[in-house]
Amino acid sequence: MPVNPGERRADLHCHSIYSDGTCTPVELIDVAASLGHWGLSITDHDTTEAYELVKEYAASRGIVLIPGVELSTTFQGEAIHVLGYSFDSRDEGLKEFCRIHRQRREVRNEMMREKLVARGLTVSIEEIKALSPNAITYGRPHIALALVQRGYVPDVATAFHLYLASGKCCYVEGEKWTTQQAIEAVRSAGGVAVLAHPHLIKTKSLIEPLLTLPFDGIEAFYAHMGAIENHRWKEIAERHGMFSTGGSDFHGKIKPEGRFGSSWAPESTLDRLYYVLSKVSRSH
Ligand code: AMP
Ligand code: ZN
Ligand code: FE
Ligand code: FE
C-alpha cells in the first residue's frame, strides 16, 4: 500500500544478514527509503549490532532508525519472542544477555545437527556458517539452508516441515531466558518490550497470564494478518494499557512470505518510541 502524503510509516520488524535475513542493513534502509517510509527498526534475533553499524547511513538517507532486537524466550513451556525497541544500543547488560543466549544457541544448533546426522543428513557446523558468513546469531534457518545446499530438501520451508519445526524429529527446544528476564533486560537498557506476533502463540490460555508481565506493547499489526485480527490485538493491547506495534517480519529470500513494508506501526507508537529513544540518547 503506498504511503499517504504526510504519513509517517515504519516497519518495525525485519531481519538482516546479522541473523537469519538475507539483506544487509544498508539494503533494508534503502528499501524503506525507496518506499517513502519515515523509519524502520531492524530486529535481528539475539543481537543488537545492526543499529550501531548503520545509524549514520540511515540518517544520511533521511530514515529514522529505531534500535531493535528480537529475543527468543520461554514462558510456561511455550516459545515466546520479545521485541525490544529504543534501548541504549551501547548497554553492556543487554549485549551480555544476547551473547549468553547466542552461546546457548550454539549448543542447541549442535544438538539439532547431530539429530540430522543420525538420520543420514550430513551437515557440518563449518558449512552452515560458511553459507551465512555475516551472521552473528545462527539458528534453524541457517541449518535449513545447509540442508537445501546439500540437496536433501528442495527449500527452507520443507526443511522446517520435515525436520526443524517445533515438534518435528530434529527439533531441539534449547535453554532459553524466561520472557520476564528478556523484558527486564530491555527495560534495564532504557528500552520498551513488546510481545511479538501474539497470534502465533499455540496455547491460547497462556495469553492472559503472559500479558500480566510488564510488557509495554503488543505487535498487533503483523505481515499479512487480516484487519479483523489486527483490530482484535489492538483492542487487547488497549485493554492492558499497552501500545500496538507493527511490522512485516521480513527475512528476504530465506522466507519469501512477508514483503518488507507489508505491515507497519501506528504513528502514535512512533512518537512514543522516538521519545523513549531521545531520552536514552540524552543520558549519554
Ligand atoms: P530459531 O531462532 O533457531 O528457533 O529459528 C526461528 C526462525 O526460523 C524464525 O524467526 C523464522 O525466521 C524461521 N522459521 C520458523 N518456522 C519456519 C518455517 N516453518 N519455515 C521457514 N522458516 C521458519
Ligand atoms: Zn527469523
Ligand atoms: Fe519471531
Ligand atoms: Fe522476527
Side-chain angles (χ1 to χ4, degrees), residues 20 45 105 108 139-141 160 251 255:
D20 53 7
H45 297 282
R105 276 178 172 275
R108 172 187 182 232
R140 286 181 288 162
F160 271 87
H251 283 73
K255 212 178 164 195

Side-chain angles (χ1 to χ4, degrees), residues 128-202:
I128 292 166
K129 293 199 167 175
L131 283 172
S132 307
N134 297 292
I136 296 167
T137 303
Y138 287 93
R140 286 181 288 162
H142 304 100
I143 300 173
L145 270 185
L147 295 177
V148 175
Q149 177 78 10
R150 281 262 184 173
Y152 294 134
V153 285
D155 50 41
V156 166
T158 307
F160 271 87
H161 180 70
L162 293 179
Y163 306 111
L164 294 169
S166 172
K168 295 294 163 86
C169 58
C170 299
Y171 176 78
V172 173
E173 178 64 31
E175 193 188 347
K176 292 191 172 97
W177 293 111
T178 66
T179 306
Q180 173 101 31
Q181 285 171 320
I183 296 171
E184 281 162 13
V186 170
R187 288 182 144 208
S188 302
V192 295
V194 172
L195 174 61
H197 39 63
H199 62 298
L200 298 181
I201 295 170
K202 291 191 198 85

Side-chain angles (χ1 to χ4, degrees), residues 13-15 19-20 43-45 70 81 83 196-197 219 222 248-251 255:
H13 190 160
C14 64
H15 298 269
S19 64
D20 53 7
T43 50
D44 278 315
H45 297 282
E70 183 171 18
H81 288 179
L83 290 161
H197 39 63
E219 191 175 44
Y222 181 83
S248 61
D249 207 359
F250 177 71
H251 283 73
K255 212 178 164 195

Side-chain angles (χ1 to χ4, degrees), residues 11-197:
D11 183 332
L12 297 182
H13 190 160
C14 64
H15 298 269
S16 82
I17 54 169
Y18 295 138
S19 64
D20 53 7
T22 56
C23 292
T24 65
V26 163
E27 285 166 343
L28 293 170
I29 291 162
D30 286 344
V31 180
S34 71
L35 292 171
H37 285 198
W38 172 84
L40 84 158
S41 184
I42 300 170
T43 50
D44 278 315
H45 297 282
D46 304 300
T47 173
T48 60
E49 292 307 309
Y51 178 76
E52 282 294 320
L53 291 168
V54 292
K55 65 177 183 193
E56 273 149 31
Y57 179 73
S60 78
R61 302 263 1 224
I63 290 287
V64 176
L65 186 65
I66 305 280
V69 70
E70 183 171 18
L71 303 168
S72 295
T73 74
T74 183
F75 180 78
Q76 296 181 20
E78 176 110 9
I80 299 294
H81 288 179
V82 175
L83 290 161
Y85 295 111
S86 291
F87 48 81
D88 176 1
S89 53
R90 290 155 296 186
D91 184 88
E92 286 302 328
L94 184 55
K95 281 191 190 173
E96 179 67 2
F97 186 91
C98 290
R99 199 185 58 73
I100 291 171
H101 190 63
R102 292 199 301 271
Q103 278 179 348
R104 291 172 175 163
R105 276 178 172 275
E106 299 269 321
V107 175
R108 172 187 182 232
N109 289 343
E110 177 57 17
M111 289 167 81
M112 289 190 282
R113 192 191 70 83
E114 282 169 10
K115 285 193 165 197
L116 289 163
V117 171
R119 296 189 157 250
L121 305 170
T122 312
V123 280
S124 68
I125 289 292
E126 291 71 29
E127 70 186 277
I128 292 166
K129 293 199 167 175
L131 283 172
S132 307
N134 297 292
I136 296 167
T137 303
Y138 287 93
R140 286 181 288 162
H142 304 100
I143 300 173
L145 270 185
L147 295 177
V148 175
Q149 177 78 10
R150 281 262 184 173
Y152 294 134
V153 285
D155 50 41
V156 166
T158 307
F160 271 87
H161 180 70
L162 293 179
Y163 306 111
L164 294 169
S166 172
K168 295 294 163 86
C169 58
C170 299
Y171 176 78
V172 173
E173 178 64 31
E175 193 188 347
K176 292 191 172 97
W177 293 111
T178 66
T179 306
Q180 173 101 31
Q181 285 171 320
I183 296 171
E184 281 162 13
V186 170
R187 288 182 144 208
S188 302
V192 295
V194 172
L195 174 61
H197 39 63

